[in-house]
Each structure stands twice: as C-alpha cells, then as structure tokens.
C-alpha cells in the first residue's frame, strides 16, 4: 500500500501497481496508466540493446495497443524528482494536457503530481 493516505482510491491503485511492477521486475521505474474505461496498464522500464523505453512510455504503448482511446491518469514510481518531458508528452498524446501524472518514490509516497501538458 502507498504511504499517501489522502490519495483517491483509484489513484492509489495505479501507484501501488506501478510500485509492484518496479519491485517485481527489478527495474529503475514502474508505471501504470488508467484509461477512460477504468482499465489499467502496468509496465516497467524496457532496457534492451535495440529498444529503450521508460516505464511510462511502455504503459502508454500498452494502453494504445489494447485499444484505449484516452487516459484518466498515470503514475510512475521512480528515484527521479519528476516525470520527464518525454513521459509527459506520451501521456498528453493519449490523455490530453490536463491528465495528471503522479510521481512517487520507491516507498510509494507521492512526491509530486504534474499535468501532462
């Protein structure tokens, strides 16, 4: 469970899923996105010689590949202070500029919420 008690339950869920993906796969970042129907897509960092994707961009790609038309929210669990411009751009492409991106530390505490735009 995340350490941010005042977080909306649906947002807490995607932070928890992102944290689990990071821990389970031993990757630098875990991410989860929620589409317009409430479905969630969870991913970790992809680091292959021929393919480098952040966890957020991987989760957005999974949502698109599964037929999502929009995003309600995204979450990333990372050591970084905030979501990168590239990650926010991917969320913005599918969810629009007002889509929230929750940035949590490895312990699940949400440190920042930024808009995709």
């Amino acid at each position: 469970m995340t350490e941010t008690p005042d977080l909306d339950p649906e947002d807490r869920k995607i932070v928890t899923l992102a944290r689990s993906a990071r821990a389970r796969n031993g990757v630098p970042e875990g991410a989860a996105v929620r589409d317009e129907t409430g479905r969630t897509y969870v991913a970790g960092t992809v680091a292959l010689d021929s393919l480098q994707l952040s966890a957020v961009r991987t989760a957005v790609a999974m949502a698109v590949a599964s037929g999502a038309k929009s995003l309600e929210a995204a979450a990333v669990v990372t050591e970084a202070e905030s979501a990168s411009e590239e990650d926010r751009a991917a969320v913005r492409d599918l969810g629009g500029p007002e889509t929230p991106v929750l940035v949590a530390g490895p312990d699940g505490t949400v440190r920042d919420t930024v808009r995709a735009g």
Side-chain angles (χ1 to χ4, degrees), residues 32-46:
V33 298
R34 184 175 62 247
D35 75 8
E36 76 282 0
T37 69
R39 289 180 296 180
T40 56
Y41 307 88
V42 182
T45 308
V46 174

Side-chain angles (χ1 to χ4, degrees), residues 56 76 78 80-88 101-103 112 114:
V56 170
V76 60
T78 180
E81 291 300 314
S82 191
S84 71
E85 175 54 39
E86 294 85 0
D87 285 352
R88 292 188 355 256
V101 180
L102 296 93
V103 181
D112 195 14
V114 296

Side-chain angles (χ1 to χ4, degrees), residues 70-71 88-101 115-117:
S70 183
L71 294 180
R88 292 188 355 256
V91 172
R92 182 174 56 244
D93 284 350
L94 189 57
E98 295 302 311
T99 307
V101 180
R115 298 292 172 192

